[in-house]
Amino acid sequence: MELTGTILQGESFEPVEGRVVVEDGEIAAIEETAVDSDDVILPAFVNAHTHIGDSIAKEAGGGLTLEELVAPPDGLKHRLLRQADREELVEGMVRSIDFMASTGTGAFVEFREGGLAGVEVIEDALAGSPLEAVVLGRETVEAMEAADGFGASGANDADFARERNATERAGKIFGIHAGEVDATDINPALDLDPDFLVHMVHAEELHLDRVADSGTPVVVCPRSNVVTDVGLPPLADLLERTTVALGTDNVMTNSPSMFREMEFAAKLFDVTAEEVLRMATINGASVGGLDCGVVETGREARLLVLDGDSDNLAGAQDLVRAVVRRAGASDVKRVVLSGKA
Protein backbone atom coordinates (compact mmCIF):
# COMPACT_ATOMS: atom_id res chain seq x y z
CA MET A 1 0.00 0.00 0.00
CA GLU A 2 1.23 3.49 -0.87
CA LEU A 3 -0.13 6.77 0.46
CA THR A 4 0.88 10.00 -1.25
CA GLY A 5 0.62 13.62 -0.19
CA THR A 6 2.10 15.89 2.44
CA ILE A 7 3.38 13.73 5.29
CA LEU A 8 3.49 15.11 8.84
CA GLN A 9 6.61 13.17 9.68
CA GLY A 10 8.17 12.29 13.02
CA GLU A 11 7.45 13.78 16.43
CA SER A 12 7.92 17.32 15.12
CA PHE A 13 5.34 16.75 12.34
CA GLU A 14 7.64 18.25 9.73
CA PRO A 15 5.64 18.53 6.46
CA VAL A 16 7.30 16.46 3.74
CA GLU A 17 5.92 15.90 0.25
CA GLY A 18 6.17 12.26 -0.74
CA ARG A 19 4.83 8.78 -0.14
CA VAL A 20 4.40 6.39 2.75
CA VAL A 21 4.85 2.71 1.93
CA VAL A 22 2.97 0.26 4.16
CA GLU A 23 3.84 -3.43 4.19
CA ASP A 24 2.52 -6.12 6.56
CA GLY A 25 0.93 -3.54 8.83
CA GLU A 26 4.15 -1.56 9.25
CA ILE A 27 5.50 1.68 7.81
CA ALA A 28 8.16 0.23 5.50
CA ALA A 29 9.41 3.47 3.96
CA ILE A 30 8.89 7.21 3.81
CA GLU A 31 10.03 8.61 0.48
CA GLU A 32 10.45 12.34 -0.06
CA THR A 33 9.46 13.06 -3.67
CA ALA A 34 7.14 15.23 -5.74
CA VAL A 35 3.61 13.79 -5.87
CA ASP A 36 0.32 14.82 -7.43
CA SER A 37 -1.78 14.72 -4.27
CA ASP A 38 -3.33 17.21 -1.86
CA ASP A 39 -3.75 14.59 0.85
CA VAL A 40 -2.33 15.13 4.32
CA ILE A 41 -0.92 12.01 5.99
CA LEU A 42 -0.50 11.94 9.77
CA PRO A 43 -0.63 9.46 12.63
CA ALA A 44 -4.05 8.17 13.59
CA PHE A 45 -5.07 9.56 16.97
CA VAL A 46 -4.68 7.79 20.29
CA ASN A 47 -7.52 8.63 22.65
CA ALA A 48 -5.74 8.21 25.97
CA HIS A 49 -8.75 8.16 28.28
CA THR A 50 -12.22 6.84 27.54
CA HIS A 51 -15.23 5.36 29.29
CA ILE A 52 -17.23 3.96 26.39
CA GLY A 53 -19.51 1.75 28.48
CA ASP A 54 -21.76 4.74 29.07
CA SER A 55 -22.45 5.03 25.33
CA ILE A 56 -25.94 3.93 26.32
CA ALA A 57 -26.52 7.19 28.21
CA LYS A 58 -25.36 10.03 25.95
CA GLU A 59 -26.30 13.44 27.37
CA ALA A 60 -28.03 11.94 30.40
CA GLY A 61 -27.83 13.83 33.67
CA GLY A 62 -27.62 17.40 32.45
CA GLY A 63 -27.00 19.80 35.34
CA LEU A 64 -25.75 17.13 37.76
CA THR A 65 -22.45 17.49 39.59
CA LEU A 66 -19.50 15.24 38.79
CA GLU A 67 -20.20 13.11 41.86
CA GLU A 68 -23.88 12.79 40.96
CA LEU A 69 -22.97 11.82 37.41
CA VAL A 70 -20.13 9.32 37.73
CA ALA A 71 -19.03 8.69 41.34
CA PRO A 72 -19.02 4.96 42.17
CA PRO A 73 -21.09 3.12 43.17
CA ASP A 74 -24.30 5.13 42.91
CA GLY A 75 -23.66 7.95 40.46
CA LEU A 76 -26.17 8.11 37.60
CA LYS A 77 -23.74 6.47 35.19
CA HIS A 78 -23.22 3.42 37.41
CA ARG A 79 -26.95 3.02 38.02
CA LEU A 80 -27.65 3.11 34.29
CA LEU A 81 -24.86 0.61 33.59
CA ARG A 82 -26.30 -1.81 36.15
CA GLN A 83 -29.76 -1.50 34.61
CA ALA A 84 -28.65 -2.08 31.01
CA ASP A 85 -28.56 -5.57 29.56
CA ARG A 86 -25.44 -7.01 27.97
CA GLU A 87 -26.67 -6.70 24.39
CA GLU A 88 -27.45 -3.02 24.89
CA LEU A 89 -24.03 -2.35 26.40
CA VAL A 90 -22.20 -4.14 23.58
CA GLU A 91 -24.19 -2.35 20.87
CA GLY A 92 -23.52 1.05 22.44
CA MET A 93 -19.79 0.37 22.66
CA VAL A 94 -19.63 -0.97 19.09
CA ARG A 95 -21.13 2.27 17.81
CA SER A 96 -18.62 4.39 19.75
CA ILE A 97 -15.75 2.20 18.54
CA ASP A 98 -16.95 2.56 14.95
CA PHE A 99 -17.28 6.32 15.37
CA MET A 100 -13.73 6.60 16.71
CA ALA A 101 -12.34 4.52 13.84
CA SER A 102 -14.18 6.58 11.22
CA THR A 103 -12.95 9.87 12.69
CA GLY A 104 -9.27 9.05 12.74
CA THR A 105 -8.69 7.35 16.07
CA GLY A 106 -6.45 4.31 15.75
CA ALA A 107 -6.20 3.28 19.40
CA PHE A 108 -7.70 4.14 22.77
CA VAL A 109 -7.13 3.55 26.48
CA GLU A 110 -10.31 2.49 28.24
CA PHE A 111 -11.18 2.49 31.95
CA ARG A 112 -13.70 -0.36 31.91
CA GLU A 113 -16.32 -0.48 34.66
CA GLY A 114 -18.10 -3.63 35.77
CA GLY A 115 -15.28 -5.82 37.00
CA LEU A 116 -14.55 -9.00 35.06
CA ALA A 117 -17.94 -8.93 33.32
CA GLY A 118 -17.22 -5.40 32.12
CA VAL A 119 -13.94 -6.52 30.54
CA GLU A 120 -15.70 -9.39 28.80
CA VAL A 121 -18.34 -7.03 27.41
CA ILE A 122 -15.82 -4.72 25.78
CA GLU A 123 -13.95 -7.71 24.37
CA ASP A 124 -17.19 -8.66 22.61
CA ALA A 125 -17.60 -5.09 21.36
CA LEU A 126 -14.05 -5.05 19.97
CA ALA A 127 -14.40 -8.35 18.10
CA GLY A 128 -13.58 -7.68 14.46
CA SER A 129 -12.64 -4.04 15.00
CA PRO A 130 -9.29 -2.81 13.65
CA LEU A 131 -8.99 -0.37 16.55
CA GLU A 132 -6.33 -1.19 19.13
CA ALA A 133 -7.64 -0.95 22.67
CA VAL A 134 -5.75 -0.87 25.94
CA VAL A 135 -8.43 -2.02 28.37
CA LEU A 136 -7.90 -1.33 32.05
CA GLY A 137 -10.22 -3.32 34.27
CA ARG A 138 -11.72 -1.79 37.38
CA GLU A 139 -13.05 -2.85 40.77
CA THR A 140 -11.33 -6.24 41.05
CA VAL A 141 -7.94 -7.88 40.60
CA GLU A 142 -9.69 -10.49 38.44
CA ALA A 143 -10.73 -7.73 36.02
CA MET A 144 -7.13 -6.53 35.85
CA GLU A 145 -5.88 -10.05 35.17
CA ALA A 146 -8.31 -10.41 32.25
CA ALA A 147 -7.43 -6.97 30.87
CA ASP A 148 -4.31 -4.95 30.05
CA GLY A 149 -4.10 -3.46 33.52
CA PHE A 150 -6.08 -1.64 36.18
CA GLY A 151 -7.82 1.76 36.00
CA ALA A 152 -8.52 3.13 39.49
CA SER A 153 -11.30 5.60 40.20
CA GLY A 154 -9.31 7.73 42.65
CA ALA A 155 -7.31 7.47 45.86
CA ASN A 156 -10.12 8.96 47.96
CA ASP A 157 -12.42 6.10 46.94
CA ALA A 158 -10.21 3.26 48.20
CA ASP A 159 -6.64 2.40 49.10
CA PHE A 160 -5.86 0.46 45.86
CA ALA A 161 -2.52 -0.79 47.25
CA ARG A 162 -3.54 -4.42 46.71
CA GLU A 163 -4.63 -3.72 43.13
CA ARG A 164 -1.47 -1.72 42.44
CA ASN A 165 0.78 -4.49 43.73
CA ALA A 166 -1.08 -7.16 41.78
CA THR A 167 -0.90 -5.07 38.60
CA GLU A 168 2.84 -4.57 39.05
CA ARG A 169 3.42 -8.28 39.60
CA ALA A 170 1.47 -8.98 36.42
CA GLY A 171 3.62 -6.51 34.48
CA LYS A 172 0.58 -4.53 33.42
CA ILE A 173 -0.49 -0.86 33.34
CA PHE A 174 -1.88 0.97 36.38
CA GLY A 175 -3.64 4.29 35.83
CA ILE A 176 -5.62 6.38 38.30
CA HIS A 177 -7.82 9.46 38.31
CA ALA A 178 -6.35 12.27 40.43
CA GLY A 179 -7.04 15.91 41.15
CA GLU A 180 -10.35 16.03 39.32
CA VAL A 181 -12.60 17.39 42.09
CA ASP A 182 -9.90 18.78 44.37
CA ALA A 183 -6.24 18.22 45.25
CA THR A 184 -6.73 15.85 48.19
CA ASP A 185 -6.28 12.62 46.22
CA ILE A 186 -3.18 13.64 44.23
CA ASN A 187 -0.45 12.79 46.73
CA PRO A 188 -2.05 9.43 47.65
CA ALA A 189 -2.33 8.64 43.94
CA LEU A 190 1.33 9.50 43.34
CA ASP A 191 2.28 7.39 46.36
CA LEU A 192 0.98 4.38 44.40
CA ASP A 193 3.63 5.02 41.72
CA PRO A 194 1.10 4.81 38.88
CA ASP A 195 2.02 4.47 35.23
CA PHE A 196 -0.10 7.54 34.53
CA LEU A 197 -2.57 9.96 36.11
CA VAL A 198 -5.83 11.26 34.64
CA HIS A 199 -7.11 14.87 34.95
CA MET A 200 -4.88 16.71 37.47
CA VAL A 201 -7.18 19.75 37.28
CA HIS A 202 -6.26 20.88 40.79
CA ALA A 203 -2.55 20.13 40.67
CA GLU A 204 -0.52 22.52 42.83
CA GLU A 205 3.19 23.30 42.68
CA LEU A 206 4.05 20.44 45.05
CA HIS A 207 2.19 17.98 42.86
CA LEU A 208 3.75 19.34 39.69
CA ASP A 209 7.19 18.91 41.23
CA ARG A 210 6.38 15.32 42.22
CA VAL A 211 5.15 14.58 38.71
CA ALA A 212 8.36 16.01 37.27
CA ASP A 213 10.55 14.05 39.71
CA SER A 214 8.76 10.78 39.05
CA GLY A 215 8.24 11.33 35.33
CA THR A 216 4.62 10.26 35.69
CA PRO A 217 2.62 10.98 32.51
CA VAL A 218 -0.71 12.80 32.76
CA VAL A 219 -3.80 12.45 30.58
CA VAL A 220 -5.96 15.58 30.41
CA CYS A 221 -9.62 15.73 29.35
CA PRO A 222 -10.47 19.44 29.18
CA ARG A 223 -13.90 19.18 27.53
CA SER A 224 -15.03 16.77 30.22
CA ASN A 225 -13.68 19.05 32.94
CA VAL A 226 -15.73 21.95 31.57
CA VAL A 227 -18.90 19.87 31.30
CA THR A 228 -18.60 18.69 34.90
CA ASP A 229 -17.59 22.19 36.08
CA VAL A 230 -14.48 21.10 37.99
CA GLY A 231 -12.08 23.58 36.40
CA LEU A 232 -9.25 23.17 33.91
CA PRO A 233 -5.84 21.50 34.23
CA PRO A 234 -2.69 23.65 34.31
CA LEU A 235 -1.76 22.34 30.88
CA ALA A 236 1.26 24.53 30.15
CA ASP A 237 2.74 23.71 33.57
CA LEU A 238 2.17 19.99 33.03
CA LEU A 239 3.76 20.10 29.58
CA GLU A 240 6.88 21.69 31.08
CA ARG A 241 7.24 18.79 33.49
CA THR A 242 6.06 15.55 31.92
CA THR A 243 4.45 13.70 29.03
CA VAL A 244 0.86 14.88 28.57
CA ALA A 245 -1.74 13.01 26.50
CA LEU A 246 -5.30 13.86 25.51
CA GLY A 247 -8.50 11.94 26.18
CA THR A 248 -12.22 12.47 25.68
CA ASP A 249 -13.39 10.76 28.91
CA ASN A 250 -17.04 9.67 29.27
CA VAL A 251 -19.11 9.16 26.13
CA MET A 252 -22.02 10.05 28.40
CA THR A 253 -20.92 13.69 28.39
CA ASN A 254 -18.67 14.06 25.31
CA SER A 255 -18.38 12.70 21.81
CA PRO A 256 -15.20 10.57 21.55
CA SER A 257 -13.89 12.90 18.83
CA MET A 258 -10.21 13.74 19.01
CA PHE A 259 -10.78 16.52 16.48
CA ARG A 260 -13.07 18.27 18.95
CA GLU A 261 -10.74 17.64 21.86
CA MET A 262 -7.71 19.01 19.99
CA GLU A 263 -9.51 22.14 18.81
CA PHE A 264 -10.83 22.83 22.29
CA ALA A 265 -7.40 22.43 23.89
CA ALA A 266 -5.60 24.45 21.23
CA LYS A 267 -7.96 27.40 21.48
CA LEU A 268 -8.35 27.38 25.24
CA PHE A 269 -4.75 26.97 26.40
CA ASP A 270 -1.52 28.78 25.60
CA VAL A 271 0.10 25.80 23.89
CA THR A 272 1.31 25.19 20.34
CA ALA A 273 -0.49 23.15 17.70
CA GLU A 274 2.48 20.77 17.61
CA GLU A 275 2.16 20.17 21.36
CA VAL A 276 -1.54 19.43 21.03
CA LEU A 277 -1.03 17.05 18.11
CA ARG A 278 1.65 15.20 20.09
CA MET A 279 -0.80 14.94 22.99
CA ALA A 280 -3.33 13.36 20.62
CA THR A 281 -0.91 10.91 19.00
CA ILE A 282 2.58 9.90 20.17
CA ASN A 283 2.04 10.86 23.81
CA GLY A 284 -1.16 8.83 24.03
CA ALA A 285 0.66 5.90 22.45
CA SER A 286 3.38 6.23 25.08
CA VAL A 287 0.81 6.15 27.90
CA GLY A 288 -0.75 3.00 26.47
CA GLY A 289 2.55 1.28 25.67
CA LEU A 290 1.71 1.28 21.95
CA ASP A 291 3.96 1.33 18.89
CA CYS A 292 1.99 3.90 16.90
CA GLY A 293 1.19 7.63 17.06
CA VAL A 294 3.99 8.79 14.76
CA VAL A 295 4.84 8.50 11.06
CA GLU A 296 8.26 6.81 11.21
CA THR A 297 9.79 3.87 9.41
CA GLY A 298 9.34 0.67 11.37
CA ARG A 299 6.32 1.88 13.30
CA GLU A 300 2.92 0.22 13.28
CA ALA A 301 0.86 1.64 10.40
CA ARG A 302 -2.00 3.44 12.12
CA LEU A 303 -2.45 6.44 9.86
CA LEU A 304 -4.98 9.11 9.04
CA VAL A 305 -5.34 10.65 5.60
CA LEU A 306 -7.12 14.00 5.32
CA ASP A 307 -8.31 15.70 2.16
CA GLY A 308 -6.13 18.76 2.05
CA ASP A 309 -8.26 20.15 -0.78
CA SER A 310 -11.55 19.93 1.11
CA ASP A 311 -13.59 23.12 1.37
CA ASN A 312 -12.54 23.27 5.01
CA LEU A 313 -8.76 22.73 4.61
CA ALA A 314 -7.99 24.18 1.17
CA GLY A 315 -5.70 27.19 1.45
CA ALA A 316 -4.27 26.25 4.85
CA GLN A 317 -0.92 28.01 5.35
CA ASP A 318 0.10 25.94 8.39
CA LEU A 319 -0.94 22.30 8.05
CA VAL A 320 -0.33 21.25 11.64
CA ARG A 321 -2.31 24.22 12.93
CA ALA A 322 -5.09 23.45 10.45
CA VAL A 323 -5.25 19.80 11.49
CA VAL A 324 -5.46 20.69 15.17
CA ARG A 325 -7.72 23.74 15.10
CA ARG A 326 -9.84 23.30 11.97
CA ALA A 327 -10.03 19.72 10.65
CA GLY A 328 -12.99 17.49 11.36
CA ALA A 329 -14.75 14.27 10.44
CA SER A 330 -15.80 15.61 7.03
CA ASP A 331 -12.12 16.02 6.06
CA VAL A 332 -11.27 12.36 6.67
CA LYS A 333 -10.44 10.63 3.40
CA ARG A 334 -9.01 7.39 4.67
CA VAL A 335 -8.07 5.71 7.94
CA VAL A 336 -5.38 3.02 7.77
CA LEU A 337 -5.21 0.77 10.79
CA SER A 338 -2.25 -1.63 10.61
CA GLY A 339 -2.38 -1.84 6.86
CA LYS A 340 -6.18 -2.04 6.64
CA ALA A 341 -8.10 0.87 5.10
PDB file of all heavy atoms in Angstrom, residues 161-176:
ATOM      1  N   ALA A 161      -3.879  -0.237  47.140  1.00  0.00           N
ATOM      2  CA  ALA A 161      -2.522  -0.789  47.246  1.00  0.00           C
ATOM      3  C   ALA A 161      -2.493  -2.239  46.774  1.00  0.00           C
ATOM      4  O   ALA A 161      -1.548  -2.660  46.078  1.00  0.00           O
ATOM      5  CB  ALA A 161      -2.021  -0.681  48.679  1.00  0.00           C
ATOM      6  N   ARG A 162      -3.500  -3.006  47.135  1.00  0.00           N
ATOM      7  CA  ARG A 162      -3.540  -4.418  46.715  1.00  0.00           C
ATOM      8  C   ARG A 162      -3.603  -4.502  45.198  1.00  0.00           C
ATOM      9  O   ARG A 162      -2.871  -5.289  44.568  1.00  0.00           O
ATOM     10  CB  ARG A 162      -4.748  -5.112  47.342  1.00  0.00           C
ATOM     11  CG  ARG A 162      -4.955  -6.548  46.867  1.00  0.00           C
ATOM     12  CD  ARG A 162      -6.085  -7.228  47.649  1.00  0.00           C
ATOM     13  NE  ARG A 162      -6.351  -8.562  47.130  1.00  0.00           N
ATOM     14  CZ  ARG A 162      -7.258  -8.820  46.182  1.00  0.00           C
ATOM     15  NH1 ARG A 162      -7.979  -7.836  45.657  1.00  0.00           N
ATOM     16  NH2 ARG A 162      -7.462 -10.066  45.773  1.00  0.00           N
ATOM     17  N   GLU A 163      -4.485  -3.697  44.594  1.00  0.00           N
ATOM     18  CA  GLU A 163      -4.635  -3.718  43.135  1.00  0.00           C
ATOM     19  C   GLU A 163      -3.356  -3.240  42.441  1.00  0.00           C
ATOM     20  O   GLU A 163      -2.952  -3.791  41.415  1.00  0.00           O
ATOM     21  CB  GLU A 163      -5.825  -2.858  42.717  1.00  0.00           C
ATOM     22  CG  GLU A 163      -7.179  -3.398  43.126  1.00  0.00           C
ATOM     23  CD  GLU A 163      -7.567  -3.076  44.565  1.00  0.00           C
ATOM     24  OE1 GLU A 163      -6.734  -2.470  45.284  1.00  0.00           O
ATOM     25  OE2 GLU A 163      -8.680  -3.430  44.970  1.00  0.00           O
ATOM     26  N   ARG A 164      -2.708  -2.227  43.039  1.00  0.00           N
ATOM     27  CA  ARG A 164      -1.469  -1.720  42.440  1.00  0.00           C
ATOM     28  C   ARG A 164      -0.382  -2.794  42.476  1.00  0.00           C
ATOM     29  O   ARG A 164       0.329  -3.011  41.485  1.00  0.00           O
ATOM     30  CB  ARG A 164      -0.986  -0.470  43.195  1.00  0.00           C
ATOM     31  CG  ARG A 164       0.355   0.081  42.671  1.00  0.00           C
ATOM     32  CD  ARG A 164       0.181   0.578  41.250  1.00  0.00           C
ATOM     33  NE  ARG A 164       1.396   1.033  40.613  1.00  0.00           N
ATOM     34  CZ  ARG A 164       2.031   0.368  39.651  1.00  0.00           C
ATOM     35  NH1 ARG A 164       1.604  -0.835  39.274  1.00  0.00           N
ATOM     36  NH2 ARG A 164       3.094   0.878  39.060  1.00  0.00           N
ATOM     37  N   ASN A 165      -0.249  -3.455  43.607  1.00  0.00           N
ATOM     38  CA  ASN A 165       0.783  -4.490  43.735  1.00  0.00           C
ATOM     39  C   ASN A 165       0.523  -5.657  42.783  1.00  0.00           C
ATOM     40  O   ASN A 165       1.451  -6.181  42.155  1.00  0.00           O
ATOM     41  CB  ASN A 165       0.852  -4.989  45.175  1.00  0.00           C
ATOM     42  CG  ASN A 165       1.394  -3.935  46.125  1.00  0.00           C
ATOM     43  OD1 ASN A 165       2.115  -3.036  45.706  1.00  0.00           O
ATOM     44  ND2 ASN A 165       1.045  -4.043  47.401  1.00  0.00           N
ATOM     45  N   ALA A 166      -0.743  -6.049  42.671  1.00  0.00           N
ATOM     46  CA  ALA A 166      -1.080  -7.158  41.780  1.00  0.00           C
ATOM     47  C   ALA A 166      -0.821  -6.782  40.322  1.00  0.00           C
ATOM     48  O   ALA A 166      -0.341  -7.606  39.528  1.00  0.00           O
ATOM     49  CB  ALA A 166      -2.541  -7.556  41.966  1.00  0.00           C
ATOM     50  N   THR A 167      -1.124  -5.537  39.976  1.00  0.00           N
ATOM     51  CA  THR A 167      -0.897  -5.070  38.605  1.00  0.00           C
ATOM     52  C   THR A 167       0.594  -5.048  38.288  1.00  0.00           C
ATOM     53  O   THR A 167       1.018  -5.446  37.192  1.00  0.00           O
ATOM     54  CB  THR A 167      -1.499  -3.669  38.413  1.00  0.00           C
ATOM     55  OG1 THR A 167      -2.891  -3.696  38.763  1.00  0.00           O
ATOM     56  CG2 THR A 167      -1.367  -3.206  36.971  1.00  0.00           C
ATOM     57  N   GLU A 168       1.393  -4.601  39.256  1.00  0.00           N
ATOM     58  CA  GLU A 168       2.844  -4.570  39.052  1.00  0.00           C
ATOM     59  C   GLU A 168       3.402  -5.979  38.901  1.00  0.00           C
ATOM     60  O   GLU A 168       4.250  -6.231  38.025  1.00  0.00           O
ATOM     61  CB  GLU A 168       3.521  -3.845  40.209  1.00  0.00           C
ATOM     62  CG  GLU A 168       5.015  -3.648  40.010  1.00  0.00           C
ATOM     63  CD  GLU A 168       5.628  -2.759  41.065  1.00  0.00           C
ATOM     64  OE1 GLU A 168       5.013  -2.571  42.135  1.00  0.00           O
ATOM     65  OE2 GLU A 168       6.729  -2.243  40.813  1.00  0.00           O
ATOM     66  N   ARG A 169       2.939  -6.899  39.708  1.00  0.00           N
ATOM     67  CA  ARG A 169       3.415  -8.283  39.602  1.00  0.00           C
ATOM     68  C   ARG A 169       3.060  -8.880  38.245  1.00  0.00           C
ATOM     69  O   ARG A 169       3.818  -9.684  37.687  1.00  0.00           O
ATOM     70  CB  ARG A 169       2.812  -9.143  40.721  1.00  0.00           C
ATOM     71  CG  ARG A 169       3.404  -8.885  42.109  1.00  0.00           C
ATOM     72  CD  ARG A 169       3.033 -10.004  43.070  1.00  0.00           C
ATOM     73  NE  ARG A 169       1.592 -10.145  43.223  1.00  0.00           N
ATOM     74  CZ  ARG A 169       0.861  -9.474  44.119  1.00  0.00           C
ATOM     75  NH1 ARG A 169       1.450  -8.622  44.958  1.00  0.00           N
ATOM     76  NH2 ARG A 169      -0.437  -9.670  44.213  1.00  0.00           N
ATOM     77  N   ALA A 170       1.911  -8.458  37.716  1.00  0.00           N
ATOM     78  CA  ALA A 170       1.467  -8.977  36.418  1.00  0.00           C
ATOM     79  C   ALA A 170       2.166  -8.286  35.250  1.00  0.00           C
ATOM     80  O   ALA A 170       1.995  -8.698  34.097  1.00  0.00           O
ATOM     81  CB  ALA A 170      -0.047  -8.816  36.290  1.00  0.00           C
ATOM     82  N   GLY A 171       2.940  -7.234  35.540  1.00  0.00           N
ATOM     83  CA  GLY A 171       3.624  -6.510  34.482  1.00  0.00           C
ATOM     84  C   GLY A 171       2.685  -5.727  33.591  1.00  0.00           C
ATOM     85  O   GLY A 171       2.932  -5.552  32.397  1.00  0.00           O
ATOM     86  N   LYS A 172       1.592  -5.239  34.195  1.00  0.00           N
ATOM     87  CA  LYS A 172       0.575  -4.528  33.423  1.00  0.00           C
ATOM     88  C   LYS A 172       0.506  -3.052  33.829  1.00  0.00           C
ATOM     89  O   LYS A 172       1.238  -2.596  34.698  1.00  0.00           O
ATOM     90  CB  LYS A 172      -0.783  -5.215  33.595  1.00  0.00           C
ATOM     91  CG  LYS A 172      -0.793  -6.642  33.037  1.00  0.00           C
ATOM     92  CD  LYS A 172      -2.183  -7.266  33.097  1.00  0.00           C
ATOM     93  CE  LYS A 172      -2.190  -8.639  32.465  1.00  0.00           C
ATOM     94  NZ  LYS A 172      -3.545  -9.248  32.421  1.00  0.00           N
ATOM     95  N   ILE A 173      -0.385  -2.317  33.178  1.00  0.00           N
ATOM     96  CA  ILE A 173      -0.487  -0.858  33.341  1.00  0.00           C
ATOM     97  C   ILE A 173      -1.439  -0.511  34.481  1.00  0.00           C
ATOM     98  O   ILE A 173      -2.529  -1.089  34.594  1.00  0.00           O
ATOM     99  CB  ILE A 173      -0.983  -0.225  32.029  1.00  0.00           C
ATOM    100  CG1 ILE A 173       0.010  -0.480  30.902  1.00  0.00           C
ATOM    101  CG2 ILE A 173      -1.216   1.278  32.200  1.00  0.00           C
ATOM    102  CD1 ILE A 173      -0.509  -0.084  29.531  1.00  0.00           C
ATOM    103  N   PHE A 174      -1.024   0.464  35.298  1.00  0.00           N
ATOM    104  CA  PHE A 174      -1.880   0.965  36.377  1.00  0.00           C
ATOM    105  C   PHE A 174      -2.070   2.467  36.184  1.00  0.00           C
ATOM    106  O   PHE A 174      -1.114   3.238  36.234  1.00  0.00           O
ATOM    107  CB  PHE A 174      -1.253   0.693  37.746  1.00  0.00           C
ATOM    108  CG  PHE A 174      -2.096   1.136  38.917  1.00  0.00           C
ATOM    109  CD1 PHE A 174      -3.021   0.277  39.485  1.00  0.00           C
ATOM    110  CD2 PHE A 174      -1.975   2.421  39.435  1.00  0.00           C
ATOM    111  CE1 PHE A 174      -3.808   0.679  40.568  1.00  0.00           C
ATOM    112  CE2 PHE A 174      -2.749   2.828  40.514  1.00  0.00           C
ATOM    113  CZ  PHE A 174      -3.668   1.953  41.078  1.00  0.00           C
ATOM    114  N   GLY A 175      -3.304   2.868  35.938  1.00  0.00           N
ATOM    115  CA  GLY A 175      -3.642   4.286  35.833  1.00  0.00           C
ATOM    116  C   GLY A 175      -4.653   4.663  36.885  1.00  0.00           C
ATOM    117  O   GLY A 175      -5.401   3.805  37.380  1.00  0.00           O
ATOM    118  N   ILE A 176      -4.699   5.946  37.254  1.00  0.00           N
ATOM    119  CA  ILE A 176      -5.621   6.378  38.300  1.00  0.00           C
ATOM    120  C   ILE A 176      -6.047   7.818  38.070  1.00  0.00           C
ATOM    121  O   ILE A 176      -5.249   8.662  37.662  1.00  0.00           O
ATOM    122  CB  ILE A 176      -4.976   6.211  39.701  1.00  0.00           C
ATOM    123  CG1 ILE A 176      -5.974   6.536  40.818  1.00  0.00           C
ATOM    124  CG2 ILE A 176      -3.695   7.028  39.827  1.00  0.00           C
ATOM    125  CD1 ILE A 176      -5.490   6.125  42.218  1.00  0.00           C
TER     126      ILE A 176
END
